[in-house]
Amino acid sequence: MSVYLGTFGKVELRRKSDIKGFRATIKPSDVSVTNKIFGLTVETELEPDPDENYALGELITGDKVQFKSTDGSVLDFVDSYTGAMATYWVYVDELGGIRLFNSFAHAVNGLKTNAVTLAVPGNDIPIRVDIRSDQSRVLAQVTNFELNTERETVDTTSLSDEFRSRISTLMSGSGRMTCFWEYTGNTTKELPNYLVELVLRTKIGSDFRAQFYLKAPGYNPGGVAARINDEVFYDFNAVITACAVQFATDNVVQITADFITTGKVNLRMHTLQEDAIVQEDGDFIPLEQNSNINTGSPAPVP
């Protein structure tokens, strides 16, 4: 029997949001062609539902975002673009300025040279914005994580009444993950600073999809060659409820993110079939099957 150390686990996150996006307006004065950056304006008195208006912090650097004009007008704030809907990865600066990119890596860097070229629109463009991220990425700098599937132990005292009533029936567990804080320097993995930013979202929501690995491919403590690529992980949707930063002058900076799971928590296992018949060299025996089987046609006579 093998003993598994907490050494080669990993956490994969996929950005997602609540089903509700938000609305805003892109004005000609909001677009800086030289800097390839633009802002979003909210005309509250013209919006029937103020809760759907844009607020600074709803978009996070690295989000894959869909922009769609609500009146069918062309998104001509993108140079030479003739459609009414477009999807890009975004970089968001401290003042809410947005740059558009064609890849996650370029969005994380946020450099003007790689940004999509913009143009001053002819008129105001009313738009709807939705998060469309659909790719899982390994979360960098994870030091530990825990997952609790007892619904009765979920602490919701820190949540607002509106938040509690909306997802109380979906809560299935809770957990925590700890990472060394990092906000720049990696364009392929999800940086831990994303968790700090995610908890600040109010309208789009602090939702994410996670896979917590107990055994990752390549980890083989038992020495059995057939088990080296086995995978065992928890798969679930979750919502960040709190994020704490631990700072000390004589130690590394760490963040701790608390979350609650929403919906079913699944334990996934990708393993080789133990009882499979194999050849002497360990390879599987190929199955030979007549192409006419189950078709109603008689098999050819040899």
Side-chain angles (χ1 to χ4, degrees):
M1 179 178 294
S2 302
V3 175
Y4 289 80
L5 300 177
T7 305
F8 290 95
K10 64 179 181 179
V11 173
E12 287 190 0
L13 295 184
R14 187 174 71 196
R15 299 182 180 221
K16 62 189 297 288
S17 68
D18 204 347
I19 59 174
K20 182 174 67 174
F22 61 83
R23 292 175 293 174
T25 301
I26 299 177
K27 295 185 174 184
S29 58
D30 293 332
V31 180
S32 172
V33 176
T34 304
N35 294 316
K36 297 183 178 180
I37 199 166
F38 68 96
L40 298 176
T41 300
V42 176
E43 300 291 348
T44 305
E45 65 274 15
L46 301 180
E47 299 292 349
D49 186 358
D51 288 337
E52 292 188 11
N53 290 340
Y54 170 69
L56 186 62
E58 298 303 326
L59 293 181
I60 299 173
T61 294
D63 281 341
K64 188 177 182 181
V65 178
Q66 175 185 282
F67 300 89
K68 182 178 181 180
S69 64
T70 56
D71 61 356
S73 59
V74 173
L75 300 179
D76 57 354
F77 74 98
V78 177
D79 187 41
S80 302
Y81 193 75
T82 58
M85 182 175 67
T87 302
Y88 296 99
W89 282 268
V90 299
Y91 166 82
V92 185
D93 67 16
E94 295 80 1
L95 300 178
I98 300 170
R99 282 192 177 126
L100 306 179
F101 295 88
N102 291 311
S103 72
F104 174 80
H106 285 160
V108 171
N109 283 326
L111 299 179
K112 182 177 69 173
T113 54
N114 297 318
V116 172
T117 302
L118 303 181
V120 177
N123 299 288
D124 293 356
I125 308 174
I127 61 170
R128 179 177 177 85
V129 180
D130 294 281
I131 306 299
R132 288 290 183 262
S133 299
D134 55 0
Q135 184 175 352
S136 296
R137 292 183 176 84
V138 174
L139 179 63
Q141 306 287 21
V142 175
T143 59
N144 63 76
F145 63 77
E146 59 185 76
L147 178 64
N148 176 2
T149 56
E150 276 193 66
R151 190 172 185 270
E152 289 76 10
T153 63
V154 177
D155 181 13
T156 61
T157 56
S158 62
L159 306 180
S160 67
D161 293 337
E162 179 183 358
F163 188 81
R164 264 200 306 270
S165 62
R166 182 165 62 89
I167 68 167
S168 59
T169 58
L170 298 175
M171 292 187 299
S172 55
S174 62
R176 170 177 294 183
M177 48 186 157
T178 303
C179 317
F180 294 129
W181 179 63
E182 183 179 356
Y183 70 99
T184 186
N186 195 313
T187 59
T188 57
K189 295 183 178 181
E190 193 68 75
L191 298 179
N193 196 61
Y194 169 62
L195 300 175
V196 180
E197 297 174 309
L198 186 62
V199 75
L200 302 178
R201 279 182 172 170
T202 56
K203 295 174 181 173
I204 292 181
S206 304
D207 302 53
F208 65 95
R209 180 72 178 265
Q211 293 177 341
F212 281 12
Y213 279 78
L214 302 176
K215 183 188 182 305
Y219 178 37
N220 190 25
V224 180
R227 296 300 180 200
I228 190 170
N229 289 320
D230 287 355
E231 297 178 87
V232 182
F233 59 91
Y234 283 99
D235 183 31
F236 55 87
N237 289 320
V239 177
I240 291 285
T241 58
C243 195
V245 178
Q246 180 181 356
F247 181 88
T249 56
D250 60 346
N251 206 339
V252 294
V253 180
Q254 289 186 316
I255 64 170
T256 300
D258 295 328
F259 60 87
I260 59 174
T261 60
T262 57
K264 188 176 181 180
V265 177
N266 297 301
L267 179 62
R268 306 292 190 187
M269 301 180 66
H270 296 164
T271 62
L272 294 177
Q273 187 175 353
E274 293 185 0
D275 298 328
I277 301 176
V278 296
Q279 303 180 58
E280 291 183 359
D281 59 0
D283 291 337
F284 289 103
I285 296 178
L287 176 63
E288 295 182 0
Q289 181 171 309
N290 190 292
S291 61
N292 294 315
I293 194 168
N294 294 331
T295 64
S297 302
V301 178

